[in-house]
Amino acid sequence: MLPIRMRNNKKWFSLRMMLFLVICMASVLPQKAEAVQQNQKPVQQNQKATQQNQKTTQQNQVVSQQKKEAAEQLGKALDYFVSKKYHECLMIMQDLDKHYRLNPRYKAYLGVCYYYDWDYKNAVKYLDEAIPQLGNFAPHERSFYYWADAESYFNLQKYAEAIPLYETMLTVCYENEKPDAYYRMGFCYLFAENWVGAWNNLLQARDGYLASRNTPDMQARIMQVNHMLDGLKPKVVGNVIENLLKK
C-alpha cells in the first residue's frame, strides 16, 4: 500500500487535472459555438436570398400574367369600339382604367364611350384630358373627339364651353361635316340670345347643307334652318339698327 501522503498527493493531482480540463473545455466551447454561429450566418443569408429570389420570381410571374390578361381585355375593348358596341367597350375600359394608366388615345376612346352612353359629365372629363395630348394624331380622328366633347357640353347645357370645341373641329373636319358644327353653334348663340351670332352660324349651316348634303334625308333640317333664319331676321335687323343708332 502507498503511504497516506502519497495517496493524498495523487488525489490532489487528479483533482487539479480535472479542474484544468474543465477550464480548457469552458474556454473552447464558446469558441466552437461562436464558430458554428459564424458558419451558420452565410447559410442563413443564402437561404434568405433564395427565398427573396423565389418571391421576386413569383411576383414577376404574377405581373406578367396580369399584363397578358390586360392586353387580352384591351384587345376585346378595341374590337367592341371598332364594331361601335360602345357600352361593351366601356365596361372593359372602365376596369382597365382603375388598374392601369391608359395612354391619351385610350382615354379618348373612353370619353367617346361615355358620350355614346349618355354620361356626358364623364365624357368631358376624359376628352378634356386626352385632346390636348393628341396633337400628332390624324386631323379627322381629332375632329371626332372635338365633336364628341362639344356635343357633351351642349347636352350639359354648357354652351359657352361647347362653342370653342365646335370652332376647333371646323379646322380639322371634312367639308361635309362642317354644317353640323355651324348648326350646333347656331343654337348655342341662340340660347345665349346672341341673335347675330345665331344668324351667322345658321346661315353657314344652311349653305353648307345645300352645297354638300342636299339629300332627301336632310330636307327636314334644311327647312328647319330656313324657318329659324326667318324668325331671327327681325331680331338681327333690330340689333343692327340699334347698334347704328348708338354710333
Side-chain angles (χ1 to χ4, degrees):
M1 293 183 62
L2 292 169
I4 293 173
R5 187 174 180 181
M6 290 182 67
R7 289 202 298 266
N8 289 340
N9 287 339
K10 189 175 182 179
K11 288 181 179 179
W12 175 244
F13 179 77
S14 299
L15 289 171
R16 290 179 65 184
M17 286 298 294
M18 289 178 65
L19 181 62
F20 176 75
L21 291 172
V22 169
I23 292 172
C24 289
M25 290 178 67
S27 62
V28 169
L29 285 174
Q31 293 177 357
K32 287 186 175 180
E34 184 178 351
V36 170
Q37 290 177 352
Q38 291 295 331
N39 291 333
Q40 287 177 342
K41 282 184 180 179
V43 174
Q44 292 172 347
Q45 291 173 350
N46 289 336
Q47 289 175 342
K48 287 182 180 179
T50 301
Q51 291 173 351
Q52 184 62 39
N53 289 336
Q54 290 175 343
K55 185 178 179 181
T56 301
T57 301
Q58 290 173 349
Q59 290 175 341
N60 290 337
Q61 288 174 345
V62 170
V63 170
S64 178
Q65 181 62 26
Q66 289 175 341
K67 287 182 177 179
K68 181 180 178 181
E69 292 174 356
E72 291 175 354
Q73 288 296 100
L74 183 59
K76 289 180 182 178
L78 295 178
D79 286 341
Y80 281 131
F81 190 87
V82 172
S83 303
K84 298 184 179 181
K85 295 181 178 180
Y86 299 109
H87 181 75
E88 290 82 353
C89 178
L90 178 60
M91 294 298 99
I92 298 175
M93 295 289 282
Q94 280 178 326
D95 185 63
L96 291 173
D97 187 48
K98 291 177 183 177
H99 299 95
Y100 300 94
R101 185 177 179 180
L102 300 179
N103 67 36
R105 171 172 269 160
Y106 295 143
K107 289 275 188 181
Y109 287 173
L110 192 50
V112 171
C113 289
Y114 277 120
Y115 163 66
Y116 279 115
D117 215 46
W118 305 330
D119 186 346
Y120 300 118
K121 287 184 178 180
N122 273 316
V124 299
K125 172 186 172 182
Y126 281 91
L127 288 167
D128 283 352
E129 179 186 348
I131 286 174
Q133 303 176 66
L134 303 177
N136 293 327
F137 284 54
H140 191 249
E141 182 180 354
R142 287 188 288 127
S143 76
F144 181 74
Y145 299 141
Y146 286 120
W147 169 259
D149 202 8
E151 285 286 278
S152 297
Y153 276 116
F154 186 92
N155 284 289
L156 291 170
Q157 299 181 5
K158 295 184 177 182
Y159 306 115
E161 289 87 343
I163 289 173
L165 291 163
Y166 287 124
E167 289 176 337
T168 308
M169 174 197 162
L170 288 170
T171 65
V172 288
C173 69
Y174 294 150
E175 195 67 27
N176 64 347
E177 295 170 335
K178 291 182 178 181
D180 291 332
Y182 286 122
Y183 177 78
R184 284 300 204 198
M185 284 194 292
F187 277 97
C188 290
Y189 284 111
L190 186 67
F191 294 141
E193 297 186 357
N194 182 335
W195 314 124
V196 175
W199 167 274
N200 288 336
N201 280 279
L202 288 171
L203 187 63
Q204 291 264 48
R206 186 196 65 181
D207 292 346
Y209 286 133
L210 290 173
S212 61
R213 291 167 61 187
N214 192 9
T215 54
D217 61 304
M218 293 303 301
Q219 296 309 304
R221 173 164 292 189
I222 293 170
M223 188 178 297
Q224 177 200 19
V225 173
N226 279 326
H227 288 320
M228 293 178 70
L229 289 169
D230 290 340
L232 282 168
K233 191 177 295 184
K235 294 180 181 293
V236 173
V237 172
N239 186 272
V240 171
I241 293 173
E242 184 180 348
N243 288 333
L244 286 173
L245 290 176
K246 286 181 181 179
K247 293 180 180 180

